[in-house]
Amino acid sequence: MTTDIVDQIVGVTPELDALRRRRPVTREQLQASFDALFAPVSTEEVSQAERELIAAFATRLAGDDDATGTFYADRALAVDPQRGAVVIAEAVDAAVTGPFGSYTEVGLQAENTEGERYTPSAEVSGALGERLAAALVHTHLLVFRPRESSADDIQRLVDAGWSADGIVTLSQLVSFLAFQQRVITGLTALQKGIAA
């Protein structure tokens, strides 16, 4: 097992470490998920650079002062400085308050909310490539408008060169990052409370 990434991002203290040790399975599985997604057996369907760039985009949507976003931004810049800079700038511009979207279920439509949709410019698509640009659009959808995800969205990924296995990995990656980011935000708040 690699260094515990959550501990690394939070800057774990002995008190927080003791708290985390109360849930050893959760701690181990969170790290195992990170290892599976960022040190996979195969990167055939989703390259290492794509994983890092998508992670930077997904987590940086929370703002530039988010510790998880900073961690993944640094990783993206290390693996692909040129595209990493574009992805980070796009995430900053694409950050909105969400989630939002439309419900199709009767009785829930009163909860429909509108919000901006992310669409990369032709210049950005050219710099990132169609495949990565499509992944960022899908990532924004999953982060801010998951209730609107449809077969058409999957088809856009297929049209951009994503395989079924690649799409599953992309979705797993975004889901994991959302969970990891919430855990880190919670632990950071607890750590501040312990220190106060």
Side-chain angles (χ1 to χ4, degrees), residues 7-41:
D7 286 352
Q8 181 182 334
I9 296 170
V10 173
V12 73
T13 61
E15 296 84 4
L16 196 57
D17 181 58
L19 182 65
R20 291 198 73 208
R21 287 185 188 281
R22 294 166 127 185
R23 303 274 189 207
V25 173
T26 301
R27 189 178 199 174
E28 290 167 11
Q29 289 180 351
L30 187 57
Q31 183 59 40
S33 294
F34 174 87
D35 293 340
L37 289 164
F38 290 96
V41 172

PDB file of all heavy atoms in Angstrom, residues 7-41:
ATOM      1  N   ASP A   7      -4.364  11.206   4.489  1.00  0.00           N
ATOM      2  CA  ASP A   7      -3.488  11.754   5.526  1.00  0.00           C
ATOM      3  C   ASP A   7      -2.539  12.788   4.938  1.00  0.00           C
ATOM      4  O   ASP A   7      -2.284  13.835   5.542  1.00  0.00           O
ATOM      5  CB  ASP A   7      -2.673  10.638   6.188  1.00  0.00           C
ATOM      6  CG  ASP A   7      -3.491   9.775   7.133  1.00  0.00           C
ATOM      7  OD1 ASP A   7      -4.659  10.117   7.399  1.00  0.00           O
ATOM      8  OD2 ASP A   7      -2.950   8.753   7.597  1.00  0.00           O
ATOM      9  N   GLN A   8      -2.017  12.495   3.765  1.00  0.00           N
ATOM     10  CA  GLN A   8      -1.070  13.404   3.118  1.00  0.00           C
ATOM     11  C   GLN A   8      -1.737  14.742   2.802  1.00  0.00           C
ATOM     12  O   GLN A   8      -1.160  15.801   3.052  1.00  0.00           O
ATOM     13  CB  GLN A   8      -0.532  12.761   1.840  1.00  0.00           C
ATOM     14  CG  GLN A   8       0.474  13.610   1.104  1.00  0.00           C
ATOM     15  CD  GLN A   8       0.939  12.928  -0.183  1.00  0.00           C
ATOM     16  OE1 GLN A   8       0.906  11.705  -0.309  1.00  0.00           O
ATOM     17  NE2 GLN A   8       1.368  13.728  -1.132  1.00  0.00           N
ATOM     18  N   ILE A   9      -2.937  14.714   2.242  1.00  0.00           N
ATOM     19  CA  ILE A   9      -3.618  15.946   1.864  1.00  0.00           C
ATOM     20  C   ILE A   9      -4.052  16.744   3.090  1.00  0.00           C
ATOM     21  O   ILE A   9      -3.873  17.959   3.149  1.00  0.00           O
ATOM     22  CB  ILE A   9      -4.821  15.649   0.950  1.00  0.00           C
ATOM     23  CG1 ILE A   9      -4.354  15.046  -0.374  1.00  0.00           C
ATOM     24  CG2 ILE A   9      -5.630  16.926   0.682  1.00  0.00           C
ATOM     25  CD1 ILE A   9      -5.466  14.507  -1.254  1.00  0.00           C
ATOM     26  N   VAL A  10      -4.589  16.063   4.091  1.00  0.00           N
ATOM     27  CA  VAL A  10      -5.079  16.740   5.292  1.00  0.00           C
ATOM     28  C   VAL A  10      -3.924  17.237   6.148  1.00  0.00           C
ATOM     29  O   VAL A  10      -4.031  18.271   6.805  1.00  0.00           O
ATOM     30  CB  VAL A  10      -5.998  15.799   6.115  1.00  0.00           C
ATOM     31  CG1 VAL A  10      -6.373  16.413   7.450  1.00  0.00           C
ATOM     32  CG2 VAL A  10      -7.241  15.451   5.323  1.00  0.00           C
ATOM     33  N   GLY A  11      -2.793  16.518   6.134  1.00  0.00           N
ATOM     34  CA  GLY A  11      -1.716  16.834   7.059  1.00  0.00           C
ATOM     35  C   GLY A  11      -2.093  16.308   8.429  1.00  0.00           C
ATOM     36  O   GLY A  11      -2.222  17.054   9.400  1.00  0.00           O
ATOM     37  N   VAL A  12      -2.289  15.001   8.483  1.00  0.00           N
ATOM     38  CA  VAL A  12      -2.868  14.354   9.658  1.00  0.00           C
ATOM     39  C   VAL A  12      -2.029  14.594  10.918  1.00  0.00           C
ATOM     40  O   VAL A  12      -0.806  14.605  10.872  1.00  0.00           O
ATOM     41  CB  VAL A  12      -3.073  12.840   9.390  1.00  0.00           C
ATOM     42  CG1 VAL A  12      -1.756  12.094   9.379  1.00  0.00           C
ATOM     43  CG2 VAL A  12      -4.028  12.231  10.391  1.00  0.00           C
ATOM     44  N   THR A  13      -2.725  14.830  12.011  1.00  0.00           N
ATOM     45  CA  THR A  13      -2.116  14.990  13.330  1.00  0.00           C
ATOM     46  C   THR A  13      -2.323  13.696  14.113  1.00  0.00           C
ATOM     47  O   THR A  13      -3.143  12.856  13.716  1.00  0.00           O
ATOM     48  CB  THR A  13      -2.792  16.147  14.092  1.00  0.00           C
ATOM     49  OG1 THR A  13      -4.178  15.819  14.250  1.00  0.00           O
ATOM     50  CG2 THR A  13      -2.635  17.462  13.350  1.00  0.00           C
ATOM     51  N   PRO A  14      -1.629  13.510  15.236  1.00  0.00           N
ATOM     52  CA  PRO A  14      -1.857  12.304  16.035  1.00  0.00           C
ATOM     53  C   PRO A  14      -3.315  12.149  16.471  1.00  0.00           C
ATOM     54  O   PRO A  14      -3.847  11.033  16.471  1.00  0.00           O
ATOM     55  CB  PRO A  14      -0.933  12.494  17.245  1.00  0.00           C
ATOM     56  CG  PRO A  14       0.172  13.358  16.723  1.00  0.00           C
ATOM     57  CD  PRO A  14      -0.490  14.292  15.743  1.00  0.00           C
ATOM     58  N   GLU A  15      -3.979  13.259  16.792  1.00  0.00           N
ATOM     59  CA  GLU A  15      -5.382  13.187  17.211  1.00  0.00           C
ATOM     60  C   GLU A  15      -6.277  12.726  16.066  1.00  0.00           C
ATOM     61  O   GLU A  15      -7.163  11.889  16.254  1.00  0.00           O
ATOM     62  CB  GLU A  15      -5.866  14.557  17.724  1.00  0.00           C
ATOM     63  CG  GLU A  15      -5.165  15.047  18.965  1.00  0.00           C
ATOM     64  CD  GLU A  15      -3.843  15.766  18.688  1.00  0.00           C
ATOM     65  OE1 GLU A  15      -3.488  15.966  17.509  1.00  0.00           O
ATOM     66  OE2 GLU A  15      -3.165  16.101  19.667  1.00  0.00           O
ATOM     67  N   LEU A  16      -6.046  13.265  14.900  1.00  0.00           N
ATOM     68  CA  LEU A  16      -6.852  12.877  13.745  1.00  0.00           C
ATOM     69  C   LEU A  16      -6.531  11.442  13.320  1.00  0.00           C
ATOM     70  O   LEU A  16      -7.421  10.690  12.932  1.00  0.00           O
ATOM     71  CB  LEU A  16      -6.619  13.852  12.582  1.00  0.00           C
ATOM     72  CG  LEU A  16      -7.638  13.828  11.467  1.00  0.00           C
ATOM     73  CD1 LEU A  16      -9.040  14.083  11.986  1.00  0.00           C
ATOM     74  CD2 LEU A  16      -7.274  14.855  10.403  1.00  0.00           C
ATOM     75  N   ASP A  17      -5.277  11.061  13.433  1.00  0.00           N
ATOM     76  CA  ASP A  17      -4.892   9.692  13.129  1.00  0.00           C
ATOM     77  C   ASP A  17      -5.628   8.724  14.055  1.00  0.00           C
ATOM     78  O   ASP A  17      -6.139   7.685  13.605  1.00  0.00           O
ATOM     79  CB  ASP A  17      -3.383   9.527  13.276  1.00  0.00           C
ATOM     80  CG  ASP A  17      -2.931   8.108  12.945  1.00  0.00           C
ATOM     81  OD1 ASP A  17      -3.189   7.652  11.818  1.00  0.00           O
ATOM     82  OD2 ASP A  17      -2.352   7.466  13.836  1.00  0.00           O
ATOM     83  N   ALA A  18      -5.707   9.050  15.341  1.00  0.00           N
ATOM     84  CA  ALA A  18      -6.423   8.198  16.295  1.00  0.00           C
ATOM     85  C   ALA A  18      -7.896   8.091  15.925  1.00  0.00           C
ATOM     86  O   ALA A  18      -8.491   7.010  16.003  1.00  0.00           O
ATOM     87  CB  ALA A  18      -6.263   8.754  17.710  1.00  0.00           C
ATOM     88  N   LEU A  19      -8.469   9.190  15.481  1.00  0.00           N
ATOM     89  CA  LEU A  19      -9.868   9.189  15.063  1.00  0.00           C
ATOM     90  C   LEU A  19     -10.057   8.312  13.821  1.00  0.00           C
ATOM     91  O   LEU A  19     -10.983   7.498  13.761  1.00  0.00           O
ATOM     92  CB  LEU A  19     -10.327  10.623  14.784  1.00  0.00           C
ATOM     93  CG  LEU A  19     -11.777  10.816  14.377  1.00  0.00           C
ATOM     94  CD1 LEU A  19     -12.703  10.424  15.523  1.00  0.00           C
ATOM     95  CD2 LEU A  19     -12.016  12.266  13.986  1.00  0.00           C
ATOM     96  N   ARG A  20      -9.173   8.424  12.869  1.00  0.00           N
ATOM     97  CA  ARG A  20      -9.267   7.628  11.643  1.00  0.00           C
ATOM     98  C   ARG A  20      -9.051   6.144  11.913  1.00  0.00           C
ATOM     99  O   ARG A  20      -9.612   5.294  11.226  1.00  0.00           O
ATOM    100  CB  ARG A  20      -8.268   8.119  10.590  1.00  0.00           C
ATOM    101  CG  ARG A  20      -8.623   9.494  10.039  1.00  0.00           C
ATOM    102  CD  ARG A  20      -7.919   9.776   8.741  1.00  0.00           C
ATOM    103  NE  ARG A  20      -8.520   8.980   7.685  1.00  0.00           N
ATOM    104  CZ  ARG A  20      -7.874   8.569   6.598  1.00  0.00           C
ATOM    105  NH1 ARG A  20      -6.606   8.866   6.417  1.00  0.00           N
ATOM    106  NH2 ARG A  20      -8.486   7.847   5.687  1.00  0.00           N
ATOM    107  N   ARG A  21      -8.263   5.814  12.901  1.00  0.00           N
ATOM    108  CA  ARG A  21      -8.002   4.401  13.234  1.00  0.00           C
ATOM    109  C   ARG A  21      -9.252   3.712  13.796  1.00  0.00           C
ATOM    110  O   ARG A  21      -9.311   2.487  13.832  1.00  0.00           O
ATOM    111  CB  ARG A  21      -6.845   4.289  14.216  1.00  0.00           C
ATOM    112  CG  ARG A  21      -5.512   4.560  13.561  1.00  0.00           C
ATOM    113  CD  ARG A  21      -4.347   4.332  14.523  1.00  0.00           C
ATOM    114  NE  ARG A  21      -3.111   4.772  13.912  1.00  0.00           N
ATOM    115  CZ  ARG A  21      -2.419   4.096  13.014  1.00  0.00           C
ATOM    116  NH1 ARG A  21      -2.850   2.925  12.610  1.00  0.00           N
ATOM    117  NH2 ARG A  21      -1.306   4.569  12.507  1.00  0.00           N
ATOM    118  N   ARG A  22     -10.247   4.475  14.176  1.00  0.00           N
ATOM    119  CA  ARG A  22     -11.498   3.882  14.654  1.00  0.00           C
ATOM    120  C   ARG A  22     -12.277   3.238  13.511  1.00  0.00           C
ATOM    121  O   ARG A  22     -13.172   2.438  13.745  1.00  0.00           O
ATOM    122  CB  ARG A  22     -12.366   4.948  15.322  1.00  0.00           C
ATOM    123  CG  ARG A  22     -11.763   5.499  16.578  1.00  0.00           C
ATOM    124  CD  ARG A  22     -12.485   6.749  16.965  1.00  0.00           C
ATOM    125  NE  ARG A  22     -12.956   6.694  18.325  1.00  0.00           N
ATOM    126  CZ  ARG A  22     -13.706   7.619  18.876  1.00  0.00           C
ATOM    127  NH1 ARG A  22     -14.097   8.665  18.174  1.00  0.00           N
ATOM    128  NH2 ARG A  22     -14.084   7.519  20.127  1.00  0.00           N
ATOM    129  N   ARG A  23     -11.973   3.614  12.278  1.00  0.00           N
ATOM    130  CA  ARG A  23     -12.626   3.074  11.081  1.00  0.00           C
ATOM    131  C   ARG A  23     -11.561   2.515  10.128  1.00  0.00           C
ATOM    132  O   ARG A  23     -11.366   3.031   9.025  1.00  0.00           O
ATOM    133  CB  ARG A  23     -13.422   4.170  10.366  1.00  0.00           C
ATOM    134  CG  ARG A  23     -14.458   4.850  11.207  1.00  0.00           C
ATOM    135  CD  ARG A  23     -15.721   4.064  11.160  1.00  0.00           C
ATOM    136  NE  ARG A  23     -16.797   4.829  11.792  1.00  0.00           N
ATOM    137  CZ  ARG A  23     -17.822   4.277  12.341  1.00  0.00           C
ATOM    138  NH1 ARG A  23     -17.938   2.975  12.333  1.00  0.00           N
ATOM    139  NH2 ARG A  23     -18.758   5.005  12.908  1.00  0.00           N
ATOM    140  N   PRO A  24     -10.869   1.462  10.528  1.00  0.00           N
ATOM    141  CA  PRO A  24      -9.754   0.971   9.706  1.00  0.00           C
ATOM    142  C   PRO A  24     -10.176   0.463   8.332  1.00  0.00           C
ATOM    143  O   PRO A  24      -9.454   0.658   7.352  1.00  0.00           O
ATOM    144  CB  PRO A  24      -9.146  -0.144  10.554  1.00  0.00           C
ATOM    145  CG  PRO A  24     -10.246  -0.579  11.467  1.00  0.00           C
ATOM    146  CD  PRO A  24     -11.061   0.654  11.732  1.00  0.00           C
ATOM    147  N   VAL A  25     -11.327  -0.162   8.230  1.00  0.00           N
ATOM    148  CA  VAL A  25     -11.764  -0.690   6.932  1.00  0.00           C
ATOM    149  C   VAL A  25     -12.049   0.464   5.976  1.00  0.00           C
ATOM    150  O   VAL A  25     -11.637   0.438   4.806  1.00  0.00           O
ATOM    151  CB  VAL A  25     -12.997  -1.613   7.101  1.00  0.00           C
ATOM    152  CG1 VAL A  25     -13.544  -2.029   5.745  1.00  0.00           C
ATOM    153  CG2 VAL A  25     -12.633  -2.830   7.933  1.00  0.00           C
ATOM    154  N   THR A  26     -12.719   1.481   6.462  1.00  0.00           N
ATOM    155  CA  THR A  26     -13.006   2.651   5.619  1.00  0.00           C
ATOM    156  C   THR A  26     -11.708   3.299   5.161  1.00  0.00           C
ATOM    157  O   THR A  26     -11.554   3.645   3.982  1.00  0.00           O
ATOM    158  CB  THR A  26     -13.858   3.673   6.399  1.00  0.00           C
ATOM    159  OG1 THR A  26     -15.065   3.038   6.803  1.00  0.00           O
ATOM    160  CG2 THR A  26     -14.181   4.880   5.550  1.00  0.00           C
ATOM    161  N   ARG A  27     -10.779   3.431   6.078  1.00  0.00           N
ATOM    162  CA  ARG A  27      -9.485   4.047   5.756  1.00  0.00           C
ATOM    163  C   ARG A  27      -8.750   3.224   4.696  1.00  0.00           C
ATOM    164  O   ARG A  27      -8.246   3.768   3.713  1.00  0.00           O
ATOM    165  CB  ARG A  27      -8.660   4.159   7.033  1.00  0.00           C
ATOM    166  CG  ARG A  27      -7.398   4.975   6.895  1.00  0.00           C
ATOM    167  CD  ARG A  27      -6.683   5.063   8.224  1.00  0.00           C
ATOM    168  NE  ARG A  27      -5.750   6.161   8.246  1.00  0.00           N
ATOM    169  CZ  ARG A  27      -5.085   6.537   9.321  1.00  0.00           C
ATOM    170  NH1 ARG A  27      -5.271   5.913  10.477  1.00  0.00           N
ATOM    171  NH2 ARG A  27      -4.233   7.538   9.266  1.00  0.00           N
ATOM    172  N   GLU A  28      -8.700   1.922   4.890  1.00  0.00           N
ATOM    173  CA  GLU A  28      -8.002   1.044   3.956  1.00  0.00           C
ATOM    174  C   GLU A  28      -8.677   1.025   2.584  1.00  0.00           C
ATOM    175  O   GLU A  28      -8.001   1.049   1.548  1.00  0.00           O
ATOM    176  CB  GLU A  28      -7.928  -0.378   4.514  1.00  0.00           C
ATOM    177  CG  GLU A  28      -6.994  -0.508   5.700  1.00  0.00           C
ATOM    178  CD  GLU A  28      -7.155  -1.830   6.434  1.00  0.00           C
ATOM    179  OE1 GLU A  28      -7.843  -2.734   5.905  1.00  0.00           O
ATOM    180  OE2 GLU A  28      -6.597  -1.951   7.538  1.00  0.00           O
ATOM    181  N   GLN A  29     -10.008   0.980   2.565  1.00  0.00           N
ATOM    182  CA  GLN A  29     -10.711   0.915   1.286  1.00  0.00           C
ATOM    183  C   GLN A  29     -10.614   2.227   0.510  1.00  0.00           C
ATOM    184  O   GLN A  29     -10.554   2.211  -0.723  1.00  0.00           O
ATOM    185  CB  GLN A  29     -12.160   0.510   1.505  1.00  0.00           C
ATOM    186  CG  GLN A  29     -12.274  -0.946   1.911  1.00  0.00           C
ATOM    187  CD  GLN A  29     -13.693  -1.415   2.149  1.00  0.00           C
ATOM    188  OE1 GLN A  29     -14.635  -0.633   2.178  1.00  0.00           O
ATOM    189  NE2 GLN A  29     -13.854  -2.712   2.331  1.00  0.00           N
ATOM    190  N   LEU A  30     -10.585   3.338   1.216  1.00  0.00           N
ATOM    191  CA  LEU A  30     -10.415   4.624   0.546  1.00  0.00           C
ATOM    192  C   LEU A  30      -9.055   4.682  -0.146  1.00  0.00           C
ATOM    193  O   LEU A  30      -8.944   5.095  -1.304  1.00  0.00           O
ATOM    194  CB  LEU A  30     -10.567   5.765   1.558  1.00  0.00           C
ATOM    195  CG  LEU A  30     -10.591   7.185   1.021  1.00  0.00           C
ATOM    196  CD1 LEU A  30     -11.704   7.383   0.006  1.00  0.00           C
ATOM    197  CD2 LEU A  30     -10.765   8.173   2.173  1.00  0.00           C
ATOM    198  N   GLN A  31      -8.021   4.208   0.551  1.00  0.00           N
ATOM    199  CA  GLN A  31      -6.696   4.182  -0.058  1.00  0.00           C
ATOM    200  C   GLN A  31      -6.629   3.155  -1.185  1.00  0.00           C
ATOM    201  O   GLN A  31      -6.018   3.405  -2.229  1.00  0.00           O
ATOM    202  CB  GLN A  31      -5.624   3.884   0.989  1.00  0.00           C
ATOM    203  CG  GLN A  31      -4.202   3.903   0.432  1.00  0.00           C
ATOM    204  CD  GLN A  31      -3.821   5.237  -0.179  1.00  0.00           C
ATOM    205  OE1 GLN A  31      -4.162   6.288   0.351  1.00  0.00           O
ATOM    206  NE2 GLN A  31      -3.107   5.201  -1.297  1.00  0.00           N
ATOM    207  N   ALA A  32      -7.271   1.999  -0.996  1.00  0.00           N
ATOM    208  CA  ALA A  32      -7.271   0.968  -2.041  1.00  0.00           C
ATOM    209  C   ALA A  32      -7.963   1.478  -3.306  1.00  0.00           C
ATOM    210  O   ALA A  32      -7.529   1.173  -4.426  1.00  0.00           O
ATOM    211  CB  ALA A  32      -7.946  -0.299  -1.537  1.00  0.00           C
ATOM    212  N   SER A  33      -9.011   2.274  -3.139  1.00  0.00           N
ATOM    213  CA  SER A  33      -9.693   2.850  -4.305  1.00  0.00           C
ATOM    214  C   SER A  33      -8.774   3.822  -5.032  1.00  0.00           C
ATOM    215  O   SER A  33      -8.702   3.821  -6.266  1.00  0.00           O
ATOM    216  CB  SER A  33     -10.972   3.569  -3.865  1.00  0.00           C
ATOM    217  OG  SER A  33     -11.901   2.654  -3.353  1.00  0.00           O
ATOM    218  N   PHE A  34      -8.060   4.643  -4.266  1.00  0.00           N
ATOM    219  CA  PHE A  34      -7.097   5.556  -4.879  1.00  0.00           C
ATOM    220  C   PHE A  34      -6.057   4.762  -5.665  1.00  0.00           C
ATOM    221  O   PHE A  34      -5.747   5.079  -6.815  1.00  0.00           O
ATOM    222  CB  PHE A  34      -6.412   6.425  -3.814  1.00  0.00           C
ATOM    223  CG  PHE A  34      -5.313   7.284  -4.371  1.00  0.00           C
ATOM    224  CD1 PHE A  34      -5.583   8.535  -4.891  1.00  0.00           C
ATOM    225  CD2 PHE A  34      -3.996   6.828  -4.412  1.00  0.00           C
ATOM    226  CE1 PHE A  34      -4.573   9.315  -5.436  1.00  0.00           C
ATOM    227  CE2 PHE A  34      -2.980   7.593  -4.948  1.00  0.00           C
ATOM    228  CZ  PHE A  34      -3.271   8.848  -5.459  1.00  0.00           C
ATOM    229  N   ASP A  35      -5.499   3.728  -5.043  1.00  0.00           N
ATOM    230  CA  ASP A  35      -4.478   2.913  -5.705  1.00  0.00           C
ATOM    231  C   ASP A  35      -5.008   2.278  -6.991  1.00  0.00           C
ATOM    232  O   ASP A  35      -4.320   2.266  -8.016  1.00  0.00           O
ATOM    233  CB  ASP A  35      -3.964   1.817  -4.762  1.00  0.00           C
ATOM    234  CG  ASP A  35      -3.187   2.376  -3.575  1.00  0.00           C
ATOM    235  OD1 ASP A  35      -2.711   3.530  -3.646  1.00  0.00           O
ATOM    236  OD2 ASP A  35      -3.076   1.657  -2.568  1.00  0.00           O
ATOM    237  N   ALA A  36      -6.233   1.759  -6.940  1.00  0.00           N
ATOM    238  CA  ALA A  36      -6.818   1.107  -8.112  1.00  0.00           C
ATOM    239  C   ALA A  36      -7.023   2.090  -9.262  1.00  0.00           C
ATOM    240  O   ALA A  36      -6.853   1.724 -10.428  1.00  0.00           O
ATOM    241  CB  ALA A  36      -8.145   0.449  -7.743  1.00  0.00           C
ATOM    242  N   LEU A  37      -7.371   3.331  -8.936  1.00  0.00           N
ATOM    243  CA  LEU A  37      -7.651   4.312  -9.982  1.00  0.00           C
ATOM    244  C   LEU A  37      -6.405   5.054 -10.462  1.00  0.00           C
ATOM    245  O   LEU A  37      -6.332   5.451 -11.625  1.00  0.00           O
ATOM    246  CB  LEU A  37      -8.696   5.318  -9.491  1.00  0.00           C
ATOM    247  CG  LEU A  37     -10.103   4.740  -9.360  1.00  0.00           C
ATOM    248  CD1 LEU A  37     -10.989   5.646  -8.521  1.00  0.00           C
ATOM    249  CD2 LEU A  37     -10.719   4.507 -10.735  1.00  0.00           C
ATOM    250  N   PHE A  38      -5.425   5.232  -9.590  1.00  0.00           N
ATOM    251  CA  PHE A  38      -4.252   6.028  -9.965  1.00  0.00           C
ATOM    252  C   PHE A  38      -2.964   5.219 -10.109  1.00  0.00           C
ATOM    253  O   PHE A  38      -1.952   5.761 -10.552  1.00  0.00           O
ATOM    254  CB  PHE A  38      -4.068   7.185  -8.983  1.00  0.00           C
ATOM    255  CG  PHE A  38      -5.139   8.226  -9.140  1.00  0.00           C
ATOM    256  CD1 PHE A  38      -6.252   8.224  -8.329  1.00  0.00           C
ATOM    257  CD2 PHE A  38      -5.052   9.181 -10.140  1.00  0.00           C
ATOM    258  CE1 PHE A  38      -7.263   9.158  -8.490  1.00  0.00           C
ATOM    259  CE2 PHE A  38      -6.055  10.118 -10.316  1.00  0.00           C
ATOM    260  CZ  PHE A  38      -7.162  10.112  -9.492  1.00  0.00           C
ATOM    261  N   ALA A  39      -3.002   3.951  -9.745  1.00  0.00           N
ATOM    262  CA  ALA A  39      -1.885   3.037 -10.005  1.00  0.00           C
ATOM    263  C   ALA A  39      -2.486   1.727 -10.503  1.00  0.00           C
ATOM    264  O   ALA A  39      -2.293   0.674  -9.916  1.00  0.00           O
ATOM    265  CB  ALA A  39      -1.057   2.833  -8.744  1.00  0.00           C
ATOM    266  N   PRO A  40      -3.253   1.805 -11.606  1.00  0.00           N
ATOM    267  CA  PRO A  40      -4.004   0.632 -12.068  1.00  0.00           C
ATOM    268  C   PRO A  40      -3.101  -0.417 -12.707  1.00  0.00           C
ATOM    269  O   PRO A  40      -1.969  -0.144 -13.094  1.00  0.00           O
ATOM    270  CB  PRO A  40      -4.954   1.229 -13.105  1.00  0.00           C
ATOM    271  CG  PRO A  40      -4.193   2.390 -13.660  1.00  0.00           C
ATOM    272  CD  PRO A  40      -3.429   2.954 -12.489  1.00  0.00           C
ATOM    273  N   VAL A  41      -3.667  -1.603 -12.822  1.00  0.00           N
ATOM    274  CA  VAL A  41      -2.969  -2.693 -13.497  1.00  0.00           C
ATOM    275  C   VAL A  41      -2.757  -2.326 -14.962  1.00  0.00           C
ATOM    276  O   VAL A  41      -1.720  -2.619 -15.546  1.00  0.00           O
ATOM    277  CB  VAL A  41      -3.780  -4.006 -13.367  1.00  0.00           C
ATOM    278  CG1 VAL A  41      -3.175  -5.104 -14.209  1.00  0.00           C
ATOM    279  CG2 VAL A  41      -3.878  -4.415 -11.912  1.00  0.00           C
TER     280      VAL A  41
END
